[in-house]
Amino acid sequence: MGARKKKAKKKGAMLRGRFAARIHPALDGINRSYDIDCRMWAEDICGSMAHATMLAEQDIISNAAARRIVRGLEEIAGEFEAGTFKAKKTDEDIHMAVERRLTELIGKDGARLHTGRSRNDQVATDLRLYLHALSLRVAEAVRDVQRVLVALAERDGEMVMPFYTHMQRAQPVLLGHALLAYVEMLARDITHAHYALEECPLGAGAGAGTSFPINRKLTAKLLGFKRPSANSLEAVSSRSDAARVTAGLAGVAVTLSRLGADLVLWTSREFGFARLGDAVSTGSSIMPQKRNPDGAELLRAKATRVTSASQRLFEIQRGLPLGYFKDLQEDKSALFEAEDALMEMLDVAEAMLGDIAFDADRMRAAVEDPSGFLLATEAADFLVRKGVPFREAHESVAALVREAEEAGAGLESLGLDRFRAVHSAFDKSIHAALTPEGALRARRAFGGPSPANVKRAVRRWRNMLLD
Ligand code: ARG
């Protein structure tokens, strides 16, 4: 052994055998991913246990060696759980750290673990296991937010409020309908973040498989996958699953950002629809009276962390030739950043929704404000029910709105003669039809905001969200 080689070895640097010099600190810094990918320690250990078990099953290593490896890995898992695992500066990533520690603990059998495997298939496997667990964690946290929304809809759902198009008051709805809209949006989003274990990359080696008689069906099964992936090059090259799941997380984040935007509006003095509790409100460093919805604003802004992480996961792969490249190592920081931001957002959304009071009077006032003409569609529909074509009815009511606006009055305060002047099909029952309650009761087609529909939807969601 030459003196220079000895020096590289003495520093304990694995994978430096063919080099005469130690790794340059700058390269080491950019190349090292342990601090990020140590988050996948559990997945890495599971993958290694399955691999060792399979190697023994196939007589590639002895049963005794596999037993020692699995026991050693259990011990390492215990160290991670207890927070006592000590990474070394020479541990390039979680895979090298676990393998290094295993060999420290059990000696040369530890060095047999990497038979017929590469970090390329190892990391692809760890990542898929992680995506699966992550998608379950996110789904649970989303359900927590949905539960609070449904509880609010149950408590205050019958309050009447305006809904908006173009940020202009449009028509009356029920608060419950608006809250359940978010429940539905989150339900849709979470289906896009769902990740099932289908194809196991383990056994793809560096990209060209292995010459050992491995049993990929066995490792796939041990790890909970449906089957081994069918092409070793695809297995090590692709991060499309991570990109797809992160895009799903981005969908959830975007919905939360919109909820944040509504909370900002609803809690403003201008709207006055809602008030956040003290614990979920923030103050100002100069204005003593302030009661700010910082949490809601951060829901809006933090969503960009998730959407940009999703974009990064696609961008990292864009233009990459087939095969494994270190570019792909950047996938984890993007995924974990998306995870951290989203989990924080889900927590704060749950906290704010759990401590909010709605102001039924303010919301009703916004509906009944005569200058809003929120019941104009009702007047048009009234004519349609009398046989008038909708376009003609629309035209007549528009003329009526113009007249009322000039008089500074609401539609409902115009006398029957004014109604009949624009269209003879109006009769004395028109005024009774022009109430928010009447409008809402009539909107009972499936998916509409009638009180009966909202009640039914609340019940349906409550049952679906039971533990
Ligand atoms: N740390 C690497 C990653 O996260 C996995 C190791 C593959 N490294 C390699 N030199 N082939 O992608």
Side-chain angles (χ1 to χ4, degrees):
M1 195 183 260
R4 282 186 307 182
K5 193 168 174 194
K6 243 190 217 149
K7 193 172 159 200
K9 279 270 142 93
K10 208 170 72 207
K11 283 283 158 197
M14 278 203 256
L15 319 183
R16 296 297 298 168
R18 58 106 60 239
F19 299 114
R22 262 187 282 154
I23 190 166
H24 191 288
L27 176 59
D28 189 41
I30 200 171
N31 196 40
R32 221 178 101 87
S33 60
Y34 177 83
D35 294 334
I36 290 169
D37 55 34
C38 64
R39 196 184 283 217
M40 302 192 306
W41 66 264
E43 287 76 11
D44 196 68
I45 287 174
C46 282
S48 288
M49 284 178 173
H51 184 64
T53 305
M54 179 279 292
L55 289 177
E57 197 70 28
Q58 300 296 104
D59 286 328
I60 299 167
I61 62 173
S62 70
N63 285 328
R67 263 197 306 276
R68 278 191 286 274
I69 288 173
V70 170
R71 238 180 281 129
L73 290 169
E74 278 165 359
E75 193 173 335
I76 297 171
E79 292 177 356
F80 273 106
E81 252 154 33
T84 56
F85 184 88
K86 290 228 166 23
K88 296 216 156 125
K89 264 180 50 206
T90 45
D91 294 337
E92 191 181 301
D93 53 26
I94 181 64
H95 324 294
M96 299 310 299
V98 170
E99 196 183 325
R100 188 260 313 150
R101 180 69 181 135
L102 181 67
T103 309
E104 270 173 23
L105 286 173
I106 69 164
K108 76 172 188 310
D109 281 333
R112 296 185 199 282
L113 170 62
H114 213 53
T115 312
R117 171 178 94 165
S118 152
R119 279 184 299 162
N120 295 356
D121 57 343
Q122 193 180 352
V123 71
T125 305
D126 292 1
L127 185 63
R128 289 188 192 185
L129 292 171
Y130 192 88
L131 289 173
H132 175 62
L134 171 62
S135 79
L136 296 178
R137 281 198 298 277
V138 171
E140 198 41 55
V142 166
R143 282 165 77 87
D144 288 342
V145 172
Q146 288 177 309
R147 280 190 196 102
V148 192
L149 284 163
V150 171
L152 281 179
E154 196 160 16
R155 188 187 76 188
D156 296 334
E158 288 185 353
M159 295 181 183
V160 179
M161 75 185 299
F163 95 94
Y164 295 77
T165 67
H166 314 276
M167 216 56 241
Q168 310 285 318
R169 288 176 197 161
Q171 291 170 331
V173 290
L174 291 182
L175 173 62
H177 201 56
L179 296 169
L180 290 181
Y182 278 112
V183 176
E184 299 276 351
M185 282 164 89
L186 289 170
R188 169 80 48 88
D189 296 335
I190 202 65
T191 62
H192 297 146
H194 178 68
Y195 186 71
L197 294 173
E198 306 261 347
E199 301 195 346
C200 181
L202 195 58
T210 173
S211 57
F212 292 100
I214 58 171
N215 181 348
R216 294 192 59 208
K217 277 194 178 154
L218 176 58
T219 41
K221 192 170 148 224
L222 288 172
L223 292 170
F225 287 88
K226 288 214 180 85
R227 54 187 172 276
S229 56
N231 182 302
S232 58
L233 272 176
E234 180 277 334
V236 299
S237 305
S238 172
R239 294 293 181 272
S240 66
D241 287 357
R244 206 248 309 141
V245 171
T246 312
L249 303 186
V252 178
V254 165
T255 296
L256 294 179
S257 80
R258 300 181 69 171
L259 175 67
D262 269 327
L263 291 176
V264 170
L265 288 176
W266 292 352
T267 56
S268 68
R269 278 300 298 149
E270 280 66 22
F271 277 70
F273 291 179
R275 182 179 167 95
L276 288 165
D278 285 358
V280 289
S281 296
T282 41
S284 153
S285 62
I286 173 168
M287 297 167 282
Q289 85 284 10
K290 287 306 285 292
R291 183 179 187 86
N292 292 331
D294 289 34
E297 290 158 48
L298 288 165
L299 282 186
R300 283 195 310 217
K302 291 253 183 184
T304 65
R305 293 195 188 216
V306 192
T307 54
S308 62
S310 156
Q311 186 182 3
R312 262 158 64 204
L313 268 152
F314 286 105
E315 288 292 311
I316 289 161
Q317 296 173 76
R318 179 169 60 86
L320 271 194
L322 198 57
Y324 173 86
F325 299 88
K326 247 321 157 51
D327 305 54
L328 296 175
Q329 178 167 281
E330 285 292 293
D331 58 355
K332 262 86 66 194
S333 54
L335 175 68
F336 299 160
E337 185 176 325
E339 172 185 10
D340 291 345
L342 183 60
M343 287 308 210
E344 199 175 26
M345 290 168 70
L346 287 163
D347 277 352
V348 83
E350 186 187 348
M352 284 190 302
L353 293 168
D355 192 1
I356 192 169
F358 290 99
D359 188 329
D361 295 338
R362 286 289 301 238
M363 290 193 282
R364 173 168 281 275
V367 167
E368 290 182 339
D369 176 354
S371 67
F373 301 102
L374 270 70
L375 299 172
T377 314
E378 267 28 68
D381 289 350
F382 181 95
L383 289 179
V384 170
R385 273 186 215 101
K386 304 282 175 193
V388 179
F390 182 77
R391 276 289 150 247
E392 185 185 324
H394 185 283
E395 189 95 335
S396 303
V397 175
L400 209 57
V401 166
R402 202 175 332 119
E403 184 182 332
E405 198 168 46
E406 273 159 21
L411 270 191
E412 47 290 344
S413 56
L414 296 178
L416 181 58
D417 56 322
R418 302 316 312 148
F419 279 91
R420 289 185 60 85
V422 297
H423 208 294
S424 58
F426 278 121
D427 64 32
K428 60 181 185 325
S429 58
I430 178 62
H431 287 97
L434 295 186
T435 63
E437 278 67 26
L440 284 167
R441 257 197 317 277
R443 292 171 185 279
R444 57 178 170 266
F446 182 75
S450 77
N453 279 0
V454 171
K455 261 210 185 93
R456 213 174 306 121
V458 166
R459 253 197 322 267
R460 185 175 134 255
W461 273 111
R462 209 186 36 209
N463 290 335
M464 288 209 301
L465 292 169
L466 289 177
D467 289 304

